Amino acid sequence: MVWANEEGCRYAPGCTGSLVFSTRHTIEELWDATAPDGAVLKDELERTLVAVTPDAEHRCGGIAMAGYIEAHIEQGPRLESEGLMVGAVTGIQGGSSFEVRVTGIDGHAGTVPLGQRRDAFRSAHAIIDALHRDLADPTDTVRFTVGSLPSLSGVARHDPRQGGFHDRLPPSGTRVFRPAHASPCEVSVSRRHAGDPADFDPGVIASVERIAGEPGIPAMAMPSGADRDARSMVPCCPTGMIVVPSTGGIGHNEDERATPAGLAAGCRVLANALYETAKG
């Protein structure tokens, strides 16, 4: 689920707090953001505050920080497949999402000749297949997926540098795909979200790797393909991130989980890294 404001900008629900804390947005800019189910961010925040004690509300913006280190489950298979317990995250990939509208005409399946049909689903299928071919990356750096395919097709992709591949994508709101892909339907594209990549502090990365190695916790340096709060904190202070293995490499799924051993290893490294960062 994502929150979207009136301009169509979308925000991951777990990252709205860090966007405000890091002053990239004011809370007023996000008040009216809505989720796909119609929930309004302001209403949900007020409902949450009613459910907690008055002392639970804290306003921390502007506080000087020695550093920020975030811990998260990997939501991917790399650590588990390598037999490692901790990932020292080097940065976060950039990502863009697009909404693609394919417009055809309803017609009777038995009476409209094939040559005269404007089948939106068929055109959408051809477009998706073409995009998978065009965005194929032998290095597996660029990631592309179709997030949903109701009457409107949502397209999401990931690009670590936000350059090069964007040049191959058309400007918003134009007829974009070759007739062989979209014809006889009409297609328009609007960019819904674009997130710049973020590089984490080399000192924090090195500290996490070293701290993990001291008690013999297997670790590796790796980028994060998922957006995290840590992205917003990069301009504020030395920032880093720790991830632990996902069982089965599963993420964004009801079966997503981590082992007690993985969580314990991650907590140990996180605690020591925070202590080292705090004492300078």
Side-chain angles (χ1 to χ4, degrees):
M1 184 173 71
V2 295
W3 299 98
N5 64 13
E6 292 181 354
E7 288 74 33
C9 297
R10 294 186 174 187
Y11 315 97
C15 298
T16 51
S18 59
L19 288 171
V20 174
F21 182 91
S22 61
T23 70
R24 293 181 62 184
H25 289 275
T26 65
I27 188 62
E28 289 76 17
E29 289 176 315
L30 302 179
W31 269 147
D32 297 325
T34 59
D37 62 0
V40 180
L41 180 59
K42 181 178 181 180
D43 295 339
E44 294 303 303
L45 287 175
E46 290 177 347
R47 185 174 62 84
T48 300
L49 289 176
V50 170
V52 299
T53 63
D55 293 338
E57 184 179 6
H58 300 283
R59 300 188 180 276
C60 302
I63 294 178
M65 293 172 289
Y68 177 92
I69 303 175
E70 179 177 355
H72 209 285
I73 187 172
E74 181 191 353
Q75 296 182 311
R78 291 191 63 190
L79 289 175
E80 185 180 69
S81 64
E82 296 288 339
L84 302 173
M85 297 298 285
V86 170
V89 182
T90 57
I92 295 178
Q93 287 185 327
S96 295
S97 62
F98 300 83
E99 185 174 273
V100 180
R101 183 184 295 267
V102 182
T103 304
I105 295 180
D106 291 340
H108 194 289
T111 61
V112 180
L114 287 174
Q116 297 181 30
R117 294 180 184 177
R118 293 177 60 182
D119 187 335
F121 189 85
R122 183 177 181 182
S123 292
H125 183 278
I127 291 167
I128 293 168
D129 186 57
L131 285 170
H132 273 287
R133 293 195 304 271
D134 292 344
L135 295 174
D137 180 7
T139 68
D140 197 27
T141 301
V142 174
R143 308 283 172 80
F144 165 80
T145 188
V146 175
S148 63
L149 186 61
S151 58
L152 291 179
S153 164
V155 181
R157 58 183 292 278
H158 300 280
D159 180 349
R161 291 294 95 187
Q162 295 295 335
F165 289 95
H166 278 181
D167 297 335
R168 292 155 57 183
L169 295 170
S172 174
T174 61
R175 181 69 178 270
V176 296
F177 297 105
R178 295 191 295 272
H181 296 156
S183 180
C185 297
E186 295 181 355
V187 180
S188 65
V189 175
S190 59
R191 181 174 291 179
R192 304 297 291 170
H193 170 265
D196 293 331
D199 294 320
F200 291 152
D201 185 83
V204 175
I205 298 170
S207 176
V208 169
E209 290 185 289
R210 177 179 50 75
I211 289 170
E214 288 173 352
I217 299 174
M220 69 179 294
M222 58 187 296
S224 172
D227 200 0
R228 304 295 184 209
D229 286 306
R231 178 204 296 277
S232 298
M233 302 304 296
V234 167
C236 302
C237 60
T239 300
M241 190 173 169
I242 295 168
V243 290
V244 298
S246 301
T247 303
I250 296 173
H252 277 198
N253 185 296
E254 291 181 357
D255 289 333
E256 177 184 315
R257 62 191 185 278
T259 65
L263 294 173
C267 286
R268 187 177 300 115
V269 174
L270 175 64
N272 289 333
L274 288 172
Y275 174 76
E276 184 171 285
T277 300
K279 73 177 184 179

